[in-house]
Amino acid sequence: MKRRTFSRLAALALAASVAGAPALAQEVLKIGAVAPKTGPLAGGAAVSYWPNVKLWINDVNARGGLKVGATTYKLEAIEYDDQTNPGETIKAVQRLVDQDKVKVVLPPYSTGLNLAAAPIYARYGLPMITSTATTDKADELSKQFPNVFITLGGAKPTVASVVETMVKLKERGDIGNKLAMVNVADAFGIELMGEAKPAFKEAGFELVYETSYPLGTQDLSPVMKAAKAAAPDAFIAWSYPPDTFALTEQAIVEDLKVGAFFTAVATAFPAYAGRFGAGAEGVLGIGGVHADGDAFKEYAARHEQVTGAKPDYWASAMVYSSFQILEKSIEAVGSFDNAAIIKHVKDNSFDTVIGPIKFDENNNNAAFWTVGQWQDGVFKGVASTGRDGAVEVKKKGAWQ
């Protein structure tokens, strides 16, 4: 039996060589991945992060493996659940490097967990090409941790795009100037809320209601009741997946009448439109993609084929793109020399499923999607800091 198995594998390898197909990987390379599988952010990671770990490893292996110098590796993942707990993220990274002896560790999920884990990645000298972190601390981070790269940009440009979108709606007469704004009390929501309040005031908006709520809050009905009582013209939430869904649910229950309704992370999830149906039409959210572009369509089709699920219309493609950058840099360097890999990431431009990515002097990607909107069952990008394919923003209709 063993001899027949060997002969069959040898024949397959010879056939692949003759046909010009990728050679079979000779060694296994363990890839470390740390993100929530439990806790408040598990749902978001299950949509944007974990499926792309699977897809990327599948795609690399389908091409024959990761070629590092003279060796070609088949990739396999070692996955750890950080339970949406920064301390567990840090411990998992340590375990991957010290006990599992992995050479490659993918970045964590979410702004807070990435910021918390940055020092441990730096201690080990690991490239940390973040894909789900939005922060204005890129310049500060790059000085302290030159191994950290930010792909989703900062709070300032994101807020600026949201303000510009609301100003456009106001100038068209679709909304007035009264605004209700809330945030999740996590690094992501706190930073965005801090930028948004003065920015909206400067743009001529009146903040008639504001509040924050703890990460993992189950009942957000008091928040929406108070927001409705303030009679806003537009509602904005710097929210994470559980609260994005809960706030929308409560807005429908309360029949919140606004010309613009904006929620943040998870608005771009296919499950959002699946849950709210026609009520999702016109809802605005953070992110977006060039939904009609060939690159995203091809990626989305492959994502669904391999993982059995549709990608979201924002972070999913960026997560995959960050893995592409790491892959290309390792192969270009031809070794696992992390200092050389980091330098290659910093010095080069990369073609990815989201489009070209080039980091500036502060290790920050300057071109990213900022605002999207559900239109005809697709979450389409309506604003960005330099991406092609934006569509015109529409007024939010009544809840259906």
Side-chain angles (χ1 to χ4, degrees):
M1 177 64 73
K2 288 182 179 179
R3 187 176 296 117
R4 285 200 298 271
T5 301
F6 175 81
S7 298
R8 181 173 179 273
L9 288 173
L12 286 172
L14 178 61
S17 176
V18 171
L24 294 176
Q26 300 299 305
E27 295 187 28
V28 172
L29 178 68
K30 300 291 186 179
I31 301 293
V34 183
K37 293 191 176 186
T38 57
L41 298 183
V47 174
S48 303
Y49 186 87
W50 290 115
N52 282 289
V53 174
K54 179 178 181 179
L55 176 62
W56 175 63
I57 288 177
N58 174 85
D59 287 353
V60 172
N61 289 340
R63 290 193 290 271
L66 183 70
K67 192 175 188 314
V68 186
T71 305
T72 303
Y73 294 91
K74 175 186 177 183
L75 305 188
E76 291 183 4
I78 297 179
E79 301 178 353
Y80 285 121
D81 173 16
D82 63 18
Q83 304 165 42
T84 317
N85 183 322
E88 292 300 319
T89 308
I90 293 167
K91 286 193 291 185
V93 174
Q94 291 175 309
R95 191 180 308 123
L96 284 164
V97 177
D98 294 336
Q99 297 180 22
D100 300 319
K101 305 299 182 183
V102 303
K103 292 183 173 67
V104 178
V105 183
L106 303 176
Y109 174 83
S110 84
T111 298
L113 297 178
N114 272 279
L115 295 180
I120 193 66
Y121 277 76
R123 184 191 303 175
Y124 288 119
L126 296 166
M128 190 180 185
I129 308 166
T130 69
S131 52
T132 55
T134 298
T135 179
D136 285 327
K137 298 178 181 177
D139 53 347
E140 178 184 326
L141 281 169
S142 66
K143 290 174 184 175
Q144 188 174 5
F145 308 121
N147 60 308
V148 177
F149 298 84
I150 305 295
T151 57
L152 283 187
K156 279 185 172 63
T158 299
V159 166
S161 281
V162 177
V163 172
E164 288 171 7
T165 300
M166 295 297 169
V167 167
K168 181 181 291 187
L169 290 169
K170 186 173 70 168
E171 289 177 345
R172 284 195 336 213
D174 292 336
I175 64 173
N177 71 332
K178 293 182 179 179
L179 184 68
M181 188 159 60
V182 305
N183 71 280
V184 60
D186 181 75
F188 169 84
I190 292 170
E191 189 169 352
L192 284 159
M193 184 70 154
E195 290 294 334
K197 286 173 64 177
F200 275 108
K201 182 178 180 180
E202 185 177 348
F205 287 88
E206 177 189 359
L207 190 59
V208 295
Y209 175 74
E210 65 169 293
T211 194
S212 65
Y213 51 86
L215 180 65
T217 299
Q218 298 296 311
D219 183 11
L220 288 168
S221 57
V223 171
M224 195 55 65
K225 287 179 184 293
K228 181 181 180 180
D233 300 306
F235 176 88
I236 293 176
W238 305 109
S239 53
Y240 265 151
D243 23 310
T244 291
F245 279 83
L247 288 167
T248 306
E249 186 75 45
Q250 288 303 316
I252 294 172
V253 169
E254 295 295 332
D255 195 24
L256 180 69
K257 302 290 189 184
V258 288
F261 186 87
F262 175 101
T263 45
V265 184
T267 316
F269 288 5
Y272 188 92
R275 180 167 175 177
F276 300 114
E281 184 70 11
V283 169
L284 293 158
I286 196 168
V289 292
H290 181 12
D292 299 322
D294 291 339
F296 180 77
K297 286 182 176 179
E298 290 169 4
Y299 156 76
R302 200 168 68 256
H303 186 288
E304 187 169 7
Q305 180 182 19
V306 172
T307 71
K310 296 179 183 295
D312 72 56
Y313 290 98
W314 179 39
S316 283
M318 190 59 84
V319 171
Y320 188 90
S321 293
S322 73
F323 299 162
Q324 286 183 298
I325 293 170
L326 185 59
E327 172 195 348
K328 292 172 186 287
S329 296
I330 291 172
E331 290 197 331
V333 169
S335 74
F336 297 106
D337 180 342
N338 284 325
I341 293 167
I342 291 165
K343 186 176 188 304
H344 188 270
V345 174
K346 190 175 183 67
D347 293 345
N348 290 274
S349 178
F350 301 88
D351 290 326
T352 73
V353 296
I354 205 71
I357 292 179
K358 175 76 171 75
F359 296 101
D360 64 18
E361 66 277 6
N362 293 320
N363 292 358
N364 190 49
N365 167 39
F368 55 95
W369 288 98
T370 50
V371 184
Q373 185 177 44
W374 282 101
Q375 298 183 5
D376 301 320
V378 178
F379 191 77
K380 300 181 178 182
V382 299
S384 75
T385 60
R387 292 291 174 197
D388 295 328
V391 299
E392 186 65 24
V393 65
K394 299 179 179 179
K395 179 182 178 181
K396 170 74 180 76
W399 300 107
Q400 303 298 317

